Amino acid sequence: MDPKEISVTAAVSMHPIILMILFGLTVEQTTSLCAPMEYIIHVEKRECAYCLAINTTICAGYCMTRDSNGKKLLLQSALSQNVCMYKDLVYQTVRIPGCSSHTVPFYSYPVAVSCKCGKCNTDYSDCVQEAVKANYCTKPQKPSNM
């Protein structure tokens, strides 16, 4: 076989592989299951008589990541591990009942409006994958009037 024929054959056979890679990168964001999810936060202060159960939304779900086995073939930016994070959020404030007069009885918390997959910024986000096991009350519980 002539060397010119080999190089043409290799270029033609690579074409479907390149298309599959491009298709995979295009579909990545549409297959991510990162969305706002209902969540209950339990809030209490030492100076207050009650614990408050607050219904809110957080960002949770699955984001596509890339296996680092191909790190020699891919750019460093292509090897990032994405997490489900806030795209848009608002803050709401509630009043914790039963607080002493010298205590500020208000608590503000984030409410996820929309979510996205992206790099986790540890400056303002907790990037740990394990669930926090301290979401409970040690005082009598009152539901939020939201």
Side-chain angles (χ1 to χ4, degrees):
M1 188 178 248
D2 183 15
K4 289 180 185 176
E5 289 177 17
I6 294 173
S7 64
V8 170
T9 305
V12 170
S13 66
M14 255 174 88
H15 184 68
I17 294 172
I18 291 170
L19 285 175
M20 287 175 51
I21 291 171
L22 290 175
F23 178 74
L25 292 173
T26 304
V27 173
E28 174 181 343
Q29 286 301 318
T30 59
T31 59
S32 298
L33 301 174
C34 171
M37 176 182 113
E38 291 184 13
Y39 189 75
I40 298 175
I41 300 173
H42 294 89
V43 178
E44 62 185 28
K45 289 187 176 186
R46 189 176 335 178
E47 302 84 3
C48 302
Y50 295 99
C51 172
L52 198 58
I54 301 169
N55 291 315
T56 187
T57 55
I58 62 170
C59 289
Y62 172 76
C63 294
M64 295 291 290
T65 57
R66 293 173 182 90
D67 190 351
S68 60
N69 290 336
K71 62 185 171 186
K72 293 181 181 177
L73 303 173
L74 298 172
L75 298 172
Q76 187 65 27
S77 61
L79 298 174
S80 65
Q81 301 295 319
N82 289 332
V83 296
C84 185
M85 56 194 288
Y86 294 114
K87 180 176 180 183
D88 295 307
L89 64 97
V90 295
Y91 281 89
Q92 291 188 354
T93 302
V94 293
R95 186 177 198 280
I96 303 173
C99 295
S100 60
S101 60
H102 68 278
T103 302
V104 176
F106 300 104
Y107 178 78
S108 295
Y109 59 94
V111 178
V113 176
S114 62
C115 303
K116 67 178 181 176
C117 292
K119 293 181 183 78
C120 188
N121 186 338
T122 56
D123 291 342
Y124 56 82
S125 296
D126 183 5
C127 303
V128 178
Q129 292 179 353
E130 294 179 15
V132 177
K133 302 212 189 311
N135 194 20
Y136 59 89
C137 291
T138 61
K139 297 181 180 187
Q141 184 175 329
K142 286 219 174 179
S144 173
N145 295 13
M146 301 299 302

